[in-house]
Amino acid sequence: MKASKDFILREIAGECILVPVGAAAAKFNGLITMNGIGTFIFRALEEEQTEESLLECILGEYEVSRETARTDLLEFLKQMRDIGALEE
């Protein structure tokens, strides 16, 4: 999976915002403010990733248990799938 080209990550006033463009802008009305881990994962998704490779990236960057990282990752991926921000 990787990030859809219909969503771009922009830093605005010190916050990272996920912005829909193109066809996604017609379907999704709004912007998404990303927290630090969300921004980290979305940037990692600029390259093709698996859930396991993303989990390893998170564990390499953050001091968090594998269980917590997996739970948070799966929730983030669900939210990204729900808005169409992932290509699988």
Side-chain angles (χ1 to χ4, degrees):
M1 81 189 90
K2 65 188 291 187
S4 170
K5 294 184 183 348
D6 288 337
F7 287 82
I8 55 173
L9 193 60
R10 291 287 182 248
E11 187 172 329
I12 302 170
E15 292 193 60
C16 286
I17 309 290
L18 193 59
V19 181
V21 295
K27 294 177 189 175
F28 184 83
N29 186 18
L31 306 173
I32 299 168
T33 302
M34 306 284 275
N35 64 14
I37 186 75
T39 300
F40 177 81
I41 295 169
F42 198 81
R43 286 187 174 144
L45 285 165
E46 290 174 357
E47 301 292 326
E48 186 72 28
Q49 299 283 346
T50 64
E51 286 181 11
E52 191 60 33
S53 66
L54 287 169
L55 180 60
E56 292 303 321
C57 287
I58 293 167
L59 293 172
E61 185 71 17
Y62 295 93
E63 290 186 28
V64 62
S65 72
R66 179 173 285 276
E67 180 180 314
T68 298
R70 183 178 303 279
T71 299
D72 290 350
L73 173 61
L74 293 177
E75 178 60 28
F76 177 83
L77 292 176
K78 180 189 179 312
Q79 291 174 359
M80 293 297 100
R81 285 182 181 109
D82 287 350
I83 64 167
L86 289 181
E87 295 176 1
E88 299 190 74

